Amino acid sequence: RRVHGDCTGSKMSAFTSRILLLVCALFVLLVGSVDAQSGSDKAKELRKLSHSSHSNVISLNPQQYKHFLLGKSRPYVVVMLYTVQNLDQCQACVPVQRAINTISSAYHDAGAALPSKTESGVTLKSVFFATAFYDRPDHQDIFRMHEFQYLPMVVVTQPGTFDESGTPIKVKQSHVCRVDTVAQDKLEATLLSCINKHTMRQISFPENVAAYMSLFGGALIFAIYVLFALLNPDSWISRIARSWVNWFLVGMVAYWCSTAGLVFNILHEIPWSIPTKSGEQYITQQSGQQLGAEGFIMGGLGLTCAICLIAALEGSKRVHSRLVQRLIVLGCIIVFTLCYRRYLEVYRLKNPWYHMSFFPPADYQRGTLRKNQGHTY
């Protein structure tokens, strides 16, 4: 009986241990699946935020920062730019922010917001770009977490980038892309190389060959038109070319397109507008950026002001009635005032330092064109 009881007890203990192992295995699988699901949900949220952000660079508040960047449930990479929103306070931040915007657009165009696999079977994580602004009161908690010693700073964040064991939370220097020792003309290439190294991707800046060809084609057509008009003085094309009205209209359109930055927009694929929660945004409030529609809006306002001045001076001379002359001048003054006030409102919104005496910062007054952070208008 004792032998039989011992055998039964040993069988029961073995069965119990197997049940416990099975329960533990199921628990681990359940926790792992929940963790993976949580990570995939975060990636979906980041994709939505990225699509609704300018240049696909997300502005994270402290709650989003903790949710997306801290912790280990992260099947994605976030390239963080720590900078300031008022670029007048940090001239070194301007080229870095522009470079991040350009690189973010290149990553987005390459589909890096979704995970993929290389030919060798290596899984590449989704890559997102985000920023935090030191001079924004609602972002201060982010900088208190880390106590950074300098700005701007670019960090390629992954699981293990942050040491959360103590306070402040330390950042591994191997994940920091140094920008303080890089020349401006090499900044974009250096940052792109650093980010590619950490994300294991081979993203490059696309060359917009189609844009170059369209601009070259337009110039070629215009040259053929002028040459044909010169060689055939009696043709209808030549008569159109000799009309000052046509050249006036061509000049106005050329002025409008140049002040709108049309060539720059085509070559750099500048978006026409950016979607926001309140609808489409056509004018950015950041002094270092300009949208496609913004240039045409401001160029149109400037062109309208110029046409009003011409009409007030020349149009009134061609009318003999005093009453009509005064109405023309009065109408031109009203339209000019409304357009010019709107022009100044937008300009002051983007450049708070502007005032009527127009003494711009030193980097606007002298230096290379590369350092000038102005606008096309």
Side-chain angles (χ1 to χ4, degrees), residues 93-200:
C93 299
V94 176
V96 178
Q97 185 164 321
R98 285 187 171 182
I100 288 296
N101 290 342
T102 304
I103 296 171
S104 174
S105 299
Y107 263 74
H108 180 266
D109 294 341
L114 294 170
S116 60
K117 284 189 176 182
T118 63
E119 296 179 355
S120 58
V122 178
T123 301
L124 301 177
K125 296 180 180 180
S126 302
V127 182
F128 304 98
F129 289 77
T131 185
F133 300 108
Y134 179 75
D135 54 348
R136 279 184 54 170
D138 56 331
H139 285 196
Q140 284 297 309
D141 289 342
I142 296 176
F143 293 88
R144 292 192 188 101
M145 295 179 196
H146 302 289
E147 296 183 3
F148 294 128
Q149 299 298 318
Y150 62 90
L151 293 176
M153 178 181 287
V154 178
V155 182
V156 185
T157 69
Q158 305 180 56
T161 299
F162 299 117
D163 182 6
E164 303 177 40
S165 59
T167 304
I169 298 175
K170 295 182 179 179
V171 179
K172 288 186 178 179
Q173 290 302 310
S174 58
H175 290 211
V176 177
C177 295
R178 296 300 299 267
V179 295
D180 53 335
T181 58
V182 182
Q184 286 193 15
D185 56 342
K186 298 180 180 179
L187 182 60
E188 287 188 359
T190 303
L191 268 178
L192 180 63
S193 176
C194 178
I195 295 171
N196 282 343
K197 176 184 175 182
H198 288 286
T199 60
M200 296 187 295

Side-chain angles (χ1 to χ4, degrees), residues 77-88:
V77 177
V78 179
V79 180
M80 276 298 304
L81 169 63
Y82 303 93
T83 181
V84 296
Q85 191 170 27
N86 185 2
L87 298 177
D88 293 332

